[in-house]
Amino acid sequence: MALLIAAGAALAQSPTTIDSIRVIGNRRIPKETVLARLFTHPGDTYDPISIERDFNSLWNTGYFENLRIEREDTEKGIILDVFVKEKPTIREINYKGLNSITQSDVLDRFKKEKVGLSVESQYDPAKVLRATTILKDMLSEHGHQFATVKLDIKDIPPASVQVNFNIKEGPTVKVGDIKFLGNQHLSGLILRRAMKNLKPIGIPYSLIFENLFPQTFDASKLEEDTERVRQAYRDKGYANAAIEEPRTQIRDEAA
């Protein structure tokens, strides 16, 4: 009778059965969280396809910067070792050289654009690069067309980083003059009035000279004003008027 029981146990726990699953390398993320993402469980028959699904399920969480699943054969069955390396935690974010925009404005813009970059979040290079692009866009909107933003990521042992945005804003660019070439049927004054975003020096459009002073140049707004110039021609019946892409030229006032 004892022999039959032993034989039955041996058949039940074959070498192709998952005996246990170990999680190795996790720090912040609990073992239970990792195991909950797996389709494979102890007692299941080893299936390479299921293991591949397990890998994809864990990788798609975005928690890890390195991941592998290894098989260890034992007399009791197969042990699965899930080796993980978590993405580091962001402990500090610095905006060095940022003067024309407040950090509060930057954080509001990050929230609006759903960047997902904040202290205590996991470091994600893609999110940091997107944040860099948005920072440059914001500086451009404030007239700093030549601003540079360089990243400096510093490790903080054992598993954290400091994110530094090193910013050189450069000079503020103003709208100095707007010239139209080839306009025979509509005057430059009419076309300038059609432009809402960018206004040049000394072009008053109202009795109180509300547009006397030059506006900050924003390249992203120039496209909108170019379309308004096209619409001005359409409104006057020139539906086929061709408007080329505008060309900008920087003039150094200090020279």
Side-chain angles (χ1 to χ4, degrees):
M1 186 66 175
L3 181 60
L4 290 175
I5 293 175
L11 288 173
Q13 191 75 353
S14 68
T16 60
T17 300
I18 305 298
D19 178 65
S20 60
I21 302 175
R22 300 183 295 199
V23 180
I24 301 170
N26 58 310
R27 290 178 176 272
R28 297 181 66 221
I29 301 173
K31 170 185 175 182
E32 291 72 21
T33 301
V34 176
L35 294 177
R37 292 280 181 171
L38 301 180
F39 296 94
T40 304
H41 303 94
D44 293 346
T45 300
Y46 180 84
D47 181 5
I49 296 178
S50 293
I51 301 302
E52 184 176 354
R53 290 176 64 196
D54 292 335
F55 179 92
N56 292 331
S57 176
L58 289 174
W59 184 255
N60 290 336
T61 62
Y63 297 155
F64 310 108
E65 64 177 22
N66 200 356
L67 170 68
R68 71 181 193 274
I69 301 177
E70 296 185 357
R71 166 180 173 169
E72 181 180 342
D73 293 307
T74 70
E75 293 181 356
K76 294 182 178 180
I78 296 172
I79 298 176
L80 289 183
D81 289 328
V82 182
F83 293 90
V84 300
K85 183 179 180 182
E86 299 173 3
K87 289 180 178 179
T89 302
I90 297 176
R91 291 299 181 200
E92 188 177 342
I93 303 176
N94 297 312
Y95 303 88
K96 300 179 180 179
L98 184 66
N99 298 310
S100 61
I101 310 171
T102 66
Q103 289 191 26
S104 177
D105 288 339
V106 171
L107 296 178
D108 288 343
R109 185 68 164 267
F110 285 175
K111 183 178 180 180
K112 179 181 178 181
E113 300 289 342
K114 298 180 180 180
V115 176
L117 181 69
S118 61
V119 174
E120 296 303 323
S121 66
Q122 284 191 311
Y123 171 70
D124 186 337
K127 292 181 179 179
V128 174
L129 287 176
R130 184 158 181 259
T132 301
T133 300
I134 291 175
L135 268 174
K136 293 179 70 174
D137 288 344
M138 293 183 70
L139 290 167
S140 178
E141 292 168 7
H142 285 74
H144 297 280
Q145 300 293 316
F146 303 101
T148 61
V149 181
K150 294 185 178 180
L151 282 173
D152 179 25
I153 309 299
K154 293 185 177 180
D155 291 328
I156 302 177
S160 301
V161 294
Q162 178 189 76
V163 177
N164 298 309
F165 295 98
N166 294 324
I167 301 165
K168 291 185 178 179
E169 293 188 344
T172 302
V173 180
K174 298 286 186 176
V175 181
D177 193 12
I178 299 177
K179 296 180 180 180
F180 299 92
L181 303 178
N183 55 312
Q184 298 179 0
H185 301 287
L186 296 183
S187 69
L189 179 60
I190 292 176
L191 297 178
R192 279 193 293 267
R193 285 179 175 176
M195 301 174 67
K196 302 298 183 183
N197 296 323
L198 305 178
K199 305 292 175 64
I201 294 174
I203 304 294
Y205 300 138
S206 69
L207 295 177
I208 59 174
F209 302 138
E210 61 182 2
N211 294 307
L212 177 62
F213 299 103
Q215 292 188 339
T216 299
F217 177 68
D218 180 359
S220 65
K221 299 297 184 181
L222 183 55
E223 183 177 349
E224 295 179 10
D225 274 344
T226 302
E227 182 57 33
R228 289 189 177 100
V229 171
R230 291 192 181 97
Q231 187 61 45
Y233 271 98
R234 297 189 193 105
D235 291 343
K236 295 297 182 178
Y238 300 98
N240 297 323
I243 309 296
E244 297 182 0
E245 290 300 316
R247 296 190 296 269
T248 58
Q249 182 179 355
I250 304 300
R251 181 176 64 200
D252 188 354
E253 295 291 347

